[in-house]
Amino acid sequence: VVAVLRGVRVLTIGTHLEALVTFMGSANNSIKRNMQMVQALCAYFPANFLGTDVYGGRHFCFPSSADLSTLAEATAWDLGWGYRAPRLGNLASQL
């Protein structure tokens, strides 16, 4: 697909939770903004640190539902989730 359609990016989503949370963040957002929100969420949990790439970028795995259930609504707001912050907490508590 990528060879034929220039500019198309193929994303691999690791878990159903990651897909659901990423979809939830996509409402009224650009892809770039959505990815910034997801990266901020992942980076909030330092135990999920995977490593640093050759350019100095830090990479984190997606938080578990247990991690997300510890996230305060105010923290989700601070991480850029805006009006989605209460829904993020509700989702984590329901899983």
Side-chain angles (χ1 to χ4, degrees), residues 71-80 85:
L71 187 69
E73 183 179 327
T75 303
W77 275 90
D78 293 342
L79 294 174

Side-chain angles (χ1 to χ4, degrees), residues 9 12-13 34 71 76 90:
R9 292 192 172 88
T12 303
I13 302 291
N34 190 23
L71 187 69
N90 290 339

Side-chain angles (χ1 to χ4, degrees), residues 23-69:
F23 175 75
M24 190 172 72
S26 70
N28 297 320
N29 267 330
S30 66
I31 293 172
K32 180 179 179 179
R33 177 70 185 117
N34 190 23
M35 295 313 297
Q36 289 171 341
M37 291 166 44
V38 171
Q39 287 172 349
L41 180 64
C42 294
Y44 179 75
F45 300 97
N48 294 339
F49 180 67
L50 295 173
T52 305
D53 62 27
V54 296
Y55 302 106
R58 296 170 49 88
H59 299 276
F60 297 84
C61 64
F62 197 80
S64 66
S65 57
D67 288 338
L68 291 177
S69 67

Side-chain angles (χ1 to χ4, degrees), residues 16-17 20-22 24 62 65 68-69 84-95:
H16 295 295
L17 175 62
L20 183 60
V21 171
T22 302
M24 190 172 72
F62 197 80
S65 57
L68 291 177
S69 67
R84 299 164 198 85
R87 292 181 183 96
L88 186 60
N90 290 339
L91 173 69
S93 68
Q94 292 174 357
L95 295 176

